[in-house]
Amino acid sequence: EVVLVESGGGSVQAGGSLRLSCAFSAYPYNKYCWGWFRQIPGKDREGVAAIDSYGQPTYAESVKGRFTISKDNDKNTLYLQMDSLKPDDTAAYHCAADREYGGSWCTVAVVGDLGNWGPGTQVTVSS
């Protein structure tokens, strides 16, 4: 339905910053829920940030105040600005999207269950 490809991952020391990008294809519906989740091998997906079709962001408590999600419709790109990185942020980061069903459904709590996601980009934070 929508194709997503992440970039921008890498290795950084604690306290550093990275900006992840997610290029996405055209999508068939007017309203979509967009987000980022991260995953460590052997563990469940963890929703990091979401942004709804009105531009309202929500964040996991663990990243609130450090990460910022944004979307550039002209460039068909979703971003995740990550500042003050910690070793616990080490994971594969995936962008995700799905049709938004209205109301307040699109929050960080649902990002891990969205129906379309990219192959991921690795972020490694050293102490």
Side-chain angles (χ1 to χ4, degrees), residues 40-104:
I40 300 170
K43 293 195 174 183
D44 292 337
R45 295 177 179 179
E46 178 190 9
V48 173
I51 187 165
D52 66 16
S53 58
Y54 298 99
Q56 182 66 39
T58 55
Y59 299 93
E61 285 298 322
S62 59
V63 306
K64 198 173 290 185
R66 300 189 297 122
F67 290 11
T68 304
I69 188 171
S70 62
K71 183 169 170 279
D72 188 328
N73 292 323
D74 291 336
K75 295 182 178 179
N76 275 23
T77 304
L78 182 73
Y79 299 100
L80 184 68
Q81 177 67 41
M82 306 187 296
D83 299 317
S84 302
L85 283 161
K86 304 175 181 180
D88 285 348
D89 295 320
T90 296
Y93 283 72
H94 301 258
C95 58
D98 210 337
R99 186 178 180 184
E100 184 175 348
Y101 293 94
S104 57

